[in-house]
Amino acid sequence: MTEASPPLKSWDDLDGPRGLPIAGNLFQIRLDALHRIFEQWADRYGRLYRVRIGPVRLAVVSDPDAIKRMHRERPGLFRRTRTLEAVAAEMGLKGVFAAEGEDWLRQRKLVVRALNTAHLRTFFPKLAVIARRLRRRWEQAADAEAPVDLCHDLMRMTVDGVTGLAFGIDFNTLETPGPVIQQKMDKVLPMIHRRVNAAFPYWRYLRLPEDRALDRALAQLRVQVDDILREVRERMRADPSLHASPTNFLEAVLAAGDAQKLGLTDDVIVANVCNLLLAGEDTTAHTIAWTVDYFIRHPEHFARARAEVDAVLGPAASVERIEQTDCFPFLDAFFHEAMRLKPVAPVSVLEPMEDVEMVGCLIPKGTPIFGLTRHIATRDEHFSDAARFDPERWLEDGDAQRRRAHDTSTFLPFGGGPRFCPGRNFALLQIRTVLAMLCRNFDMAFADPKRPVEERLAFTMMPTGMVVRIRRRVDGG
């Protein structure tokens, strides 16, 4: 006879932090530090534990197999939370990121088409222009000896990149005040984070000043995106060949019979425009900023990255050909290590579409499950001496890797499974291009070395206090 499997635990059997009778763990959590609090509790309560925020029950998992299963079994068994879907719909932002089922499949095809490799190759000369504008901006700051809010500059750069690739429009926010679209997006992701994790949907009954500010930002954002739609439609009327060979996301959508044949209304198109802008702005900009943080803290590794860039670029001040971006193995290793320790998405939140077994427990249908993706990539059993910043771990040969922990399957900066981030290749292209330009031309130091750079979660994890002083490179290259 085979030994019977132990019975599954129920929700009530799970361990977790003790809370108050009605509020639960609400007052033990800070939304801007939620990821760190959950990681600390994982060390205490194990690979799966429970949390309650008011009436809302959450499961928190830090088991790598369970997290990878959540990503892999989408959209069949797991989905974005219904709370996120509702919040996104209320804001007019229910695009490919929040959509599910057939809606997601239709929208995903268009987004992938807009961000495919062929379009990246065609777009690269424009990305090189954007990188040169960023270099000029930093040269001016260096000459003026002015402190630079690094995240602010990088977000302008990524907005220019995303709008250029996805919509064929050059906003040039690096050298001009920029359109409303760039100025208003900063309010959106923090409010999504706040509403998705709220114990009660207060904004449906009472609009606080922050909610009214969001309403104004969304209204202005819609006006700007409607202008983009109008501009692209006029461009396509002037050049009918774009219907047969669209060059970007919006042209591809509009070419499909004014979007009606795909079941995509203008509202859905606008939602996807905003999704691309929000995802492309924050994630890439903050990844570059975290990498610069490690550049400053590890000058010996920065010197090696610089030598590699010098050898590839020769006399040029920045990357001139897309092929050059494939020639930076140590630079790649450096920012991969930065992404391992400082991922912009340290938590992934999904819910099961039916009761599901996870780490020996039966999780009820519809329970939000927080997967601690940063936590699993910073454990010694998955990466040796995991707390140490070590780009070399990404360069070692196969024999050396087998002698030490290096489980790249626990490294999930772009998610995984069917809903793997479609913008990954574009993000990596921007990261390599900007970091190579930085290595080639500048030295950076913290404006206030005594002020720590800290993590702040506002849907994505960003560095705070990332103010630097930029100097032109003095060794000549």
Side-chain angles (χ1 to χ4, degrees):
M1 295 179 63
T2 58
E3 185 176 348
S5 300
L8 294 177
K9 293 181 180 179
S10 71
W11 175 265
D12 293 331
D13 293 328
L14 281 177
D15 200 0
R18 187 181 299 275
L20 297 174
I22 296 176
N25 306 110
L26 177 64
F27 299 115
Q28 298 166 269
I29 293 173
R30 276 178 42 207
L31 285 183
D32 63 352
L34 179 145
H35 62 302
R36 291 202 309 272
I37 294 167
F38 281 3
E39 288 170 350
Q40 292 164 6
W41 285 345
D43 291 336
R44 180 173 179 180
Y45 299 111
R47 294 178 302 158
L48 179 68
Y49 62 91
R50 61 189 173 104
V51 172
R52 185 167 60 84
I53 301 177
V56 182
R57 302 190 305 179
L58 316 174
V60 183
V61 62
S62 58
D63 177 83
D65 291 334
I67 291 173
K68 286 183 280 187
R69 179 191 179 197
M70 288 165 59
H71 287 282
R72 184 176 64 250
E73 297 191 25
R74 295 179 65 195
L77 185 56
F78 294 93
R79 54 160 289 156
R80 301 273 188 208
T81 66
R82 287 174 172 79
T83 302
L84 173 60
E85 185 177 17
V87 167
E90 289 172 346
M91 293 184 179
L93 301 175
K94 190 183 172 184
V96 69
F97 182 80
E100 293 290 340
E102 290 300 320
D103 285 345
W104 169 72
L105 285 172
R106 286 195 300 271
Q107 296 176 45
R108 170 83 175 189
K109 290 176 183 177
L110 292 170
V111 173
V112 169
R113 183 176 181 179
L115 300 176
N116 67 24
T117 303
H119 283 160
L120 294 185
R121 185 169 294 276
T122 302
F123 181 71
F124 181 76
K126 296 178 182 177
L127 179 60
V129 169
I130 293 169
R132 288 195 290 272
R133 290 172 180 167
L134 181 60
R135 174 166 55 88
R136 289 195 295 269
R137 185 181 180 93
W138 285 350
E139 286 172 344
Q140 293 168 2
D143 294 342
E145 299 183 353
V148 171
D149 183 333
L150 195 68
C151 289
H152 178 268
D153 281 6
L154 290 171
M155 284 192 284
R156 283 176 172 264
M157 182 277 300
T158 53
V159 165
D160 286 352
V162 172
T163 53
L165 177 67
F167 319 131
I169 298 173
D170 182 12
F171 278 157
N172 191 11
T173 65
L174 285 165
E175 296 179 325
T176 69
V180 169
I181 199 168
Q182 193 276 332
Q183 300 167 14
K184 301 302 177 184
M185 284 191 301
D186 292 347
K187 293 182 172 62
V188 176
L189 283 181
M191 287 300 290
I192 292 177
H193 181 59
R194 175 175 173 174
R195 290 183 177 183
V196 166
N197 293 291
F200 176 76
Y202 71 88
W203 60 91
R204 294 172 187 163
Y205 308 95
L206 174 66
R207 310 297 273 192
L208 299 177
E210 296 90 342
D211 300 292
R212 291 193 293 272
L214 174 68
D215 292 340
R216 291 191 295 271
L218 289 172
Q220 292 172 315
L221 194 58
R222 177 62 191 252
V223 169
Q224 183 71 54
V225 174
D226 283 342
D227 287 344
I228 293 174
L229 274 174
R230 191 158 42 250
E231 180 176 336
V232 173
R233 283 189 167 117
E234 290 173 359
R235 187 166 68 218
M236 295 181 73
R237 279 195 291 270
D239 184 359
S241 68
L242 294 176
H243 288 267
S245 301
T247 62
N248 57 58
F249 168 73
L250 272 185
E251 290 174 0
V253 172
L254 298 176
D258 288 332
Q260 294 305 315
K261 293 178 182 178
L262 294 173
L264 300 179
T265 64
D266 272 10
D267 286 344
V268 173
I269 297 171
V270 168
N272 276 291
V273 169
C274 294
N275 279 198
L276 287 172
L277 286 167
L278 291 166
E281 179 197 36
D282 275 44
T283 54
T284 303
H286 294 152
T287 295
I288 297 172
W290 282 121
T291 303
V292 173
D293 178 55
Y294 282 108
F295 273 164
I296 296 172
R297 297 180 190 280
H298 295 274
E300 71 284 5
H301 294 317
F302 176 65
R304 181 173 173 181
R306 167 171 280 174
E308 178 180 77
V309 170
D310 287 348
V312 173
L313 297 188
S318 57
V319 176
E320 296 180 334
R321 293 177 289 107
I322 192 171
E323 294 79 11
Q324 292 174 314
T325 62
D326 293 324
C327 300
F328 303 129
F330 184 75
L331 187 64
D332 272 19
F334 194 105
F335 72 73
H336 274 76
E337 185 69 346
M339 286 194 293
R340 184 181 70 84
L341 294 170
K342 301 290 186 181
V344 294
V347 178
S348 176
V349 188
L350 301 173
E351 68 177 48
M353 300 171 70
E354 60 188 56
D355 293 354
V356 63
E357 183 276 329
M358 183 169 286
V359 195
C361 179
L362 189 65
I363 304 296
K365 172 184 176 180
T367 302
I369 303 174
F370 284 65
L372 304 185
T373 51
R374 199 256 294 265
H375 191 267
I376 62 174
T378 52
R379 305 289 291 177
D380 287 341
E381 60 264 34
H382 303 140
F383 288 93
S384 296
D385 197 6
R388 183 166 64 96
F389 181 82
D390 180 16
E392 287 282 351
R393 71 173 81 244
W394 299 94
L395 297 173
E396 293 177 351
D397 60 37
D399 290 338
Q401 292 293 14
R402 282 190 286 273
R403 292 194 295 270
R404 64 196 296 238
H406 186 77
D407 184 359
T408 57
S409 72
T410 63
F411 176 64
L412 300 167
F414 296 99
R419 294 191 69 154
F420 186 79
C421 175
R424 174 184 180 274
N425 289 336
F426 184 48
L428 293 177
L429 184 62
Q430 290 184 96
I431 291 167
R432 290 169 179 145
T433 300
V434 171
L435 291 178
M437 180 273 290
L438 187 158
C439 290
R440 183 68 176 144
N441 297 280
F442 300 103
D443 292 304
M444 291 194 177
F446 296 120
D448 182 359
K450 295 181 180 179
R451 180 184 178 185
V453 175
E454 298 181 340
E455 300 172 0
R456 175 174 175 256
L457 190 67
F459 205 79
T460 58
M461 189 181 82
M462 64 185 72
T464 63
M466 196 62 192
V467 180
V468 300
R469 292 201 178 272
I470 298 177
R471 297 186 301 276
R472 289 179 186 256
R473 182 177 176 182
V474 296
D475 64 10

